[in-house]
Every structure is written in structure tokens, then in C-alpha cells.
Amino acid sequence: MKFVVLTIISILLFAANLFFGAIHIPAGDVAGILFGRGEVDQALRFIVLDSRLPQAITAFLAGAGLAISGLMLQTAFRNPLAGPSILGISSGASLGVALVMLISGGAVTVGSMTIGGYAAVVGGALAGSLGIMALLIVISSAVRNNLLVLIAGIMTGYLTSSVVTLLSSVTTAEGLQGYVYWGMGSFSDVPAPQLPWFTLLTVGGIVMSLLLAKPLNILLLGDDYARNLGVRIGRVRNMLLLSTGLLTAVITAYCGPISFIGMAIPHVARFYFRTDNHWVLMPASLLLGGIMGLGCNVASTIPENSIIPINALTAVGGVPVILAVIFHRK
């Protein structure tokens, strides 16, 4: 029943993203565009089908991907404050994007081949996030102290932010302006031609994550117990690295460094379903993350003829959840 409620809320918010926006369009015209009825102005058709629809799909997938990433990281590092942003994974992706946008002018040359546009940005984000994730896996294997791993992730995030600041001081005004806008977070930067690639990569990362539900359940009992049951911890961590890095890199590259969804939503899922079973938490986090993404996206368009940065809204929803977790666990 709880999943039915979440599914209905997701559908309603998805519809709200199509019917509401910075530009007012009558509900009848939106319905006519969606169902192909009647004569509708081509400008309105473009807004609904080429702007609002891709934006709604992006918001749901981005929220779902970040929420599942946060759930896996919290389980793997046994830390309730773990997440793509806190552990520095998003910062690593941001550093990769900064190197592409601020230094190489939006293109990367490998031998005689030059890669530009979204491919270069996604490649830079993927390399940065995977590098930080690999570093955290090495640290967690050597230290085996969750608090120290958390501190290491925070310090890594500060370090990458410092490098980005240094890069910003030597780039052009146009490059800096583009990077600052990208850093505010937005679900509107995935155009319709790029949407299939974004969807394919994000859904691929989510499916890969869902396959880890069983080993993650066993890891809750401890590494030694998991080994006795035949779980290959190294292989599980490598898959965790790949899936989390892929999701974080793709979402960060296209939408910017979206914060708090990955850290807060898994706790909402645990509270709502009262379980630690990942067969339940995985789809629950997926739906709740998508709901938060859709909710923030539609809320960002409330001011007429203007857009609120997504990160400003995710903080409003995420910070109270994190504070509640901290006070509850003391």
C-alpha cells in the first residue's frame, strides 16, 4: 500500500511538472499537446514537449539515482551521513567538469581525436567521481573507521573545491559564468536530443544498483559474516564504485552538483517503511528521490518568469532530515 501511495504521488507531481511552469499555459492546451488533439501554437508545443517533458523525466531520474547512490554509500561505509556530496564524490565530478569547462574550453583531445560538448563534460565528471570513489574505497579498507572515512571524504571535497577555485581564477569570464550557472543545479539542461543518453546511462546505473540489494543486506551483518556466506566483498565494492560513480557522474554532469537528496532520502525511506531490507529500501529510495526531484523542479518555477536554483530547494528539504537523524542518534 505504501508503494502505491508513493507511485500515485510520483504520477501527480510528474503531471504537475507538465502543467505548471514559469510561463502560464492553459491546462486544456497542455492536455491537447500531450494527447495530440486540436490545433495548438507551435511555441506552446515546444515548451511542453521539448522543455517541460524532458525536464520532468530528468528530475525524476536524477532524484532516484542520487537517492539510491546515497543508500548504497551509507550501507557500504556504515555511516548515516554518507552521500555523494558529503563524501566528496560530487566534488570530484565537479572538478572533472571544471577541468573540461574552465581549462580545455569544453573539449578534450585524446591523440588525434577531439571530444567536445556533453560527451566531454560527462567524461570529465565520470573520471573525477570514480577517482574520488576509488580513493574512499582504499581509505575504508585501510582505516576501517567510519568516522575517519567521513572526515577523509569531507577533506577531499574541500581540496577539490580549492582546486576548482584556483582554476576559476585563471579562466575566461565566459567559462566562469557557465561553470557558476552549472553549479547552481538545474534539471532543465538536458535537451530532448540528449535525453535518451541521459536516460540510458541513469537507468543503467540504477539497474546495476538494484542487483546489489542482496549483498548489501548481507553486508549489514558485518564483513566477516558476509565472507562466510560466500560474498565477494571486493567484487561488491567494485560494483558499488562503478554504479555510484556512474550515477553521480552522469547526474552531476547534466544537472550540476545536486546536494542533500542522496544523503536525506534513504533516511526518509527507512523511517517510512521501518526496515533495513534493501529489497524494500532500493525501490522506496528510487520513488522518494524521484518525488523530491519532481517536487523541487515544480517549486523552482513558482516565481513568474524566473527559476529558483535547485540546490536552494534541496537544502530546504534535506537539512531538517539530516538534523533529525543527528539528534535521534545523538
Side-chain angles (χ1 to χ4, degrees), residues 27-289:
D29 290 344
V30 175
I33 292 171
L34 293 175
F35 297 104
R37 296 198 303 261
E39 294 294 331
V40 183
D41 185 85
Q42 290 301 313
L44 299 183
R45 183 183 299 273
F46 176 83
I47 292 174
V48 174
L49 296 182
D50 291 338
S51 178
R52 291 185 183 179
L53 181 59
Q55 201 168 333
I57 296 174
T58 301
F60 182 84
L61 291 177
L66 291 174
I68 287 182
S69 296
L71 173 63
M72 292 191 297
L73 291 172
Q74 289 171 10
T75 300
F77 291 107
R78 296 187 182 87
N79 196 309
L81 297 182
S85 56
I86 290 296
L87 286 175
I89 302 174
S90 295
S91 298
S94 299
L95 176 60
V97 173
L99 290 172
V100 172
M101 296 180 66
L102 301 180
I103 299 300
S104 61
V108 177
T109 301
V110 181
S112 60
M113 181 176 62
T114 300
I115 303 174
Y118 281 103
V121 174
V122 171
L126 183 60
S129 63
L130 286 178
I132 297 299
M133 192 67 185
L135 176 62
L136 292 175
I137 292 293
V138 171
I139 293 175
S140 65
S141 300
V143 175
R144 298 187 180 277
N145 185 304
N146 297 328
L147 179 59
L148 292 180
V149 172
L150 180 64
I151 294 173
I154 294 174
M155 292 301 102
T156 302
Y158 279 126
L159 178 61
T160 55
S161 297
S162 299
V163 175
V164 171
T165 301
L166 291 174
L167 295 177
S168 301
S169 64
V170 297
T171 189
T172 62
E174 292 79 8
L176 181 60
Q177 182 179 6
Y179 183 79
V180 170
Y181 174 77
W182 170 85
M184 292 180 180
S186 174
F187 296 130
S188 62
D189 292 335
V190 183
Q194 292 291 329
L195 184 61
W197 290 106
F198 176 82
T199 302
L200 179 64
L201 293 171
T202 306
V203 171
I206 291 174
V207 171
M208 193 183 304
S209 303
L210 293 175
L211 296 176
L212 295 173
K214 181 178 179 179
L216 286 174
N217 277 339
I218 298 176
L219 285 178
L220 290 174
L221 304 174
D223 290 353
D224 293 336
Y225 190 82
R227 289 190 187 94
N228 291 334
L229 291 178
V231 176
R232 298 180 180 178
I233 296 179
R235 182 179 179 182
V236 172
R237 283 180 174 173
N238 288 336
M239 290 186 66
L240 179 74
L241 165 66
L242 183 59
S243 58
T244 307
L246 175 64
L247 287 171
T248 304
V250 172
I251 295 170
T252 302
Y254 280 99
C255 307
I258 307 297
S259 59
F260 288 105
I261 292 181
M263 190 180 2
I265 290 301
H267 295 295
V268 178
R270 292 188 187 98
F271 176 80
Y272 186 52
F273 285 90
R274 301 291 183 179
T275 183
D276 287 324
N277 184 358
H278 285 76
W279 288 115
V280 176
L281 292 180
M282 283 286 195
S285 297
L286 187 153
L287 288 173
L288 286 167

Side-chain angles (χ1 to χ4, degrees), residues 315-326:
V316 171
V319 169
V321 174
I322 301 305
L323 291 177
V325 170
I326 292 174

Side-chain angles (χ1 to χ4, degrees), residues 297-330:
N297 188 61
V298 73
S300 69
T301 62
I302 290 178
E304 188 174 355
N305 298 322
S306 64
I307 300 293
I308 301 175
I310 294 297
N311 274 330
L313 297 172
T314 56
V316 171
V319 169
V321 174
I322 301 305
L323 291 177
V325 170
I326 292 174
F327 286 115
H328 177 69
R329 300 199 178 195
K330 297 181 176 63

